[in-house]
Amino acid sequence: MSVIEGAPAICVPAGAKKNFSVKSVRLIHESRADAKLVWSISALPASQRFVLRPGQCLLHGTDLAGYTQDVPPSALTEVGRYTFRLNAVAVKRSDLISYLGSFCLRSRGSVC
């Protein structure tokens, strides 16, 4: 998890050994009462996948060619914890299939 130009982003760790072919991205706001999907994208079946190299990040709300916006990005205004999930399809059993990252939003809109 990172903040780039004021926007939260999910990143592939710089020390990762492989590129990460993105199948889907989810951003969930978690409150005490429930969890709410606030942004979601998925690769279209015949599209070429977006690839993140180690150390690269994907910002909240990024519109990627070949992906559908399942849940369009909304402004992050609700105070609380948010969890990113970056998903891939494993080619081999040993392949990593997800990266998770969390951040919180304070009452004045700053990310913690």
Side-chain angles (χ1 to χ4, degrees), residues 72-96:
S74 58
L76 304 180
T77 57
E78 293 184 57
V79 173
R81 180 183 166 150
Y82 289 81
T83 300
F84 261 118
R85 184 175 183 108
L86 185 60
N87 302 300
V89 173
V91 176
K92 297 184 284 188
R93 287 186 79 172
S94 61
D95 287 350
L96 185 66

Side-chain angles (χ1 to χ4, degrees), residues 5-70:
E5 298 176 10
I10 181 81
C11 306
V12 173
K17 296 187 187 322
K18 293 183 178 182
N19 292 343
F20 193 84
S21 179
V22 178
K23 177 184 177 195
S24 65
V25 180
R26 308 280 182 259
L27 180 59
I28 301 165
H29 176 256
E30 301 171 13
S31 68
R32 289 186 179 160
D34 64 358
K36 176 179 150 187
L37 193 59
V38 295
W39 180 51
S40 174
I41 62 172
S42 299
L44 295 170
S47 69
Q48 184 173 358
R49 300 288 167 85
F50 180 76
V51 174
L52 289 170
R53 292 185 307 273
Q56 285 188 312
C57 303
L58 184 67
L59 277 70
H60 164 255
T62 301
D63 188 17
L64 298 174
Y67 288 72
T68 184
Q69 297 269 352
D70 303 317

